[in-house]
Amino acid sequence: MKVEQLIRKESLRQQEDLCLIASENHMSEAVLRALGSPLANKYSEGYPGKRYYAGNRIVDEIEQRAIDLAKKLYGVEHVNVQPLSGAPANLAVYSALLAPGDTVLGMDLSHGGHLTHGHPVTLPARLYTFVRYKTTLEGKINYAEMEKLARKHKPKLILVGYSSYSRDIDYERVKSIADQVGALTLADVSHISGLIVTGLLNNPGSVFDIITTTTHKTLRGPRGGLILCKKTFSKQIDKAVFPGLQGGPHQNQIAALAIALEEASRPSFKTYAKQILTNTQILAKALVERNYELCFGGTENHLVLVDLRNKKISGREAQISLEKAGLIANMNIIPDDPAPATHPSGLRLGTPALTTRGFKEKQIFEIVELIDKVLSNSQNNIVIRQVQNQVRALAKTFPAPGELK
């Protein structure tokens, strides 16, 4: 069948290319099996023990298993595992806690924020009033500006958590700012979940009111979402997810999540997460040695954001040239980018997927050499083909899990 052939082609592409997109990873075979299991057949509107359809006794056990694991890993009082992804999770939180017109204080998109944090093209921006803080010239979150804006605008919600910001977050300081103006707090930790549950980055679990996260990035699970919160918000959150925004949850996804959370509970996952941080530090160091400029003054997590202006190449041109060589990265705007979003000045690079394949320091240095070779010869197809051959040799040595046989 045509679609089956295309799936196999994509499986081969993922094996032959090397992924440096910070928001992508490779699931384990166990997680992939759960996604393709008969659980996909089951309709289960409602929550464990409170379903609208019969035949959910086993599904209830699976969903409760995912809930219990997430509560333990993040150190929170309540978890909803039904959001289909990060954007629906954030929308559910907004609808649960805010009234139309309420003010939200969140990060400017060009300084590392996310579309769902109030970008004008999104639905939340049509419903709520978003005010944006930025980073300092040194590349750290501007907490002083956040405090000033909070006092001026009296937001109902203060939002942290980012898609291209490469530093850790001081949740205690944000909470103290929120308390001054009576605001609720939301941390969208989609990118750094796997680093939080292993104790390698700060955990907002005991500090913030609400946490949202996707499950497929550093957590290495299926594409999905979680909402974690204090018990006082549990009924509002659950009602906002179902029946507010969604119907029946995807139980194959929830089962895959439960398996990923089991994997994240093992000592081997912390070893993996530590290697992500080590690899990212090496990535940053090697790039700086080749005169690449890093936004935010470096990195403390799984990604770097590269300002390419001194290399006289746009993020879009870099992305296209790298993809031809089998290196998959994404163009990205930089703080207060003078270029349009369609041809931004930056390139975002991350190490989770490479680390899953077994890459360590030596291989990361090799990757940076290849990146530099491509970007220095972006119009030279002979050089790009040479790099592609080197990429495929590396990829073959370090296969990704889940290859279709």
Side-chain angles (χ1 to χ4, degrees):
M1 293 175 66
K2 182 64 174 178
V3 174
E4 290 178 352
Q5 293 171 359
L6 290 171
I7 291 171
R8 291 187 179 279
K9 285 179 70 174
E10 172 60 13
S11 177
L12 179 61
R13 186 203 65 76
Q14 291 185 22
Q15 289 296 331
E16 291 184 341
D17 289 348
L18 294 175
C19 179
L20 290 101
I21 294 178
S23 53
E24 291 188 10
N25 211 331
H26 299 285
M27 306 175 212
S28 70
E29 291 186 5
V31 172
L32 282 169
R33 282 197 300 270
L35 283 173
S37 71
L39 286 164
N41 298 328
K42 191 69 194 91
Y43 225 124
S44 53
E45 284 186 348
Y47 292 101
K50 299 176 181 178
R51 306 289 186 184
Y52 285 81
Y53 296 158
N56 281 295
R57 62 186 184 280
I58 298 170
V59 158
D60 280 0
E61 291 186 46
I62 293 171
E63 185 167 335
Q64 192 60 52
R65 173 67 172 160
I67 291 169
D68 293 343
L69 285 165
K71 287 168 69 174
K72 184 177 180 180
L73 276 171
Y74 290 91
V76 296
E77 296 173 345
H78 181 76
V79 176
N80 189 304
V81 299
Q82 293 191 8
L84 303 179
S85 198
N90 286 340
L91 188 57
V93 173
Y94 297 153
S95 65
L97 303 181
L98 305 176
D102 278 349
T103 299
V104 180
L105 181 54
M107 176 74 100
D108 185 278
L109 181 68
S110 75
H111 286 248
H114 189 263
L115 282 172
T116 61
H117 299 175
H119 191 279
V121 301
T122 64
L123 175 62
R126 292 163 56 189
L127 299 175
Y128 313 107
T129 302
F130 284 84
V131 179
R132 297 171 182 82
Y133 58 90
K134 297 183 177 182
T135 55
T136 64
L137 292 176
E138 294 75 30
K140 301 294 182 68
I141 294 170
N142 195 333
Y143 294 104
E145 180 193 28
M146 181 190 293
E147 184 172 358
K148 182 186 290 187
L149 289 170
R151 288 177 173 176
K152 179 180 179 181
H153 295 281
K154 300 293 190 296
K156 180 72 174 293
L157 180 70
I158 296 181
L159 170 61
V160 300
Y162 316 107
S163 64
S164 61
Y165 181 65
S166 56
R167 297 290 184 176
D168 204 353
I169 303 167
D170 187 345
Y171 300 105
E172 295 280 358
R173 186 166 182 184
V174 178
K175 183 66 166 66
S176 71
I177 294 171
D179 287 345
Q180 291 177 41
V181 297
L184 299 170
T185 49
L186 167 62
D188 180 348
V189 299
S190 293
H191 268 263
I192 53 178
S193 248
L195 306 175
I196 287 174
V197 299
T198 48
L200 300 176
L201 290 184
N202 295 332
N203 186 352
S206 62
V207 182
F208 267 42
D209 297 308
I210 311 282
I211 302 167
T212 59
T213 181
T214 53
T215 56
H216 54 277
K217 298 182 176 86
T218 52
L219 196 61
R220 209 162 59 178
R223 294 191 63 85
L226 291 173
I227 303 176
L228 313 104
C229 64
K230 293 179 179 177
K231 193 172 183 180
T232 186
F233 302 106
S234 60
K235 290 183 179 179
Q236 292 165 269
I237 291 297
D238 286 352
K239 188 176 180 181
V241 175
F242 174 83
L245 293 172
Q246 296 180 186
H250 298 176
Q251 289 298 340
N252 55 324
Q253 173 186 307
I254 292 172
L257 168 62
I259 293 170
L261 293 172
E262 287 176 348
E263 293 173 351
S265 303
R266 299 169 188 162
S268 58
F269 190 85
K270 185 168 186 177
T271 301
Y272 161 71
K274 285 181 177 178
Q275 191 63 52
I276 288 177
L277 295 182
T278 298
N279 285 348
T280 312
Q281 289 295 321
I282 296 299
L283 177 67
K285 179 177 183 290
L287 286 165
V288 170
E289 287 174 351
R290 287 161 179 79
N291 197 33
Y292 287 90
E293 296 182 359
L294 303 185
C295 299
F296 312 119
T299 182
E300 294 168 343
N301 57 26
H302 65 301
L303 66 83
V304 295
L305 182 60
V306 186
D307 182 346
L308 292 171
R309 286 178 293 177
N310 70 322
K311 296 294 184 176
K312 308 303 180 185
I313 186 172
S314 74
R316 181 176 176 80
E317 291 168 330
Q319 174 180 304
I320 291 170
S321 297
L322 288 169
E323 183 172 10
K324 289 177 182 177
L327 296 167
I328 311 302
N330 68 275
M331 61 182 181
N332 210 99
I333 55 175
I334 61 172
D336 300 317
D337 201 332
T342 53
H343 288 79
S345 303
L347 185 73
R348 189 182 65 167
L349 302 169
T351 65
L354 293 181
T355 307
T356 294
R357 295 181 81 133
F359 278 51
K360 294 189 176 178
E361 294 90 325
K362 178 178 181 293
Q363 291 78 37
I364 298 298
F365 275 117
E366 291 180 44
I367 288 294
V368 175
E369 289 178 3
L370 296 176
I371 290 172
D372 186 46
K373 199 170 184 180
V374 170
L375 299 188
S376 301
N377 299 274
S378 61
Q379 304 303 315
N380 191 325
N381 290 329
I382 294 175
V383 171
I384 288 177
R385 280 196 296 270
Q386 290 173 347
V387 172
Q388 184 187 57
N389 290 334
Q390 292 174 273
V391 167
R392 287 186 173 176
L394 264 176
K396 190 172 183 180
T397 305
F398 296 90
E403 180 181 8
L404 290 178
K405 308 300 182 183

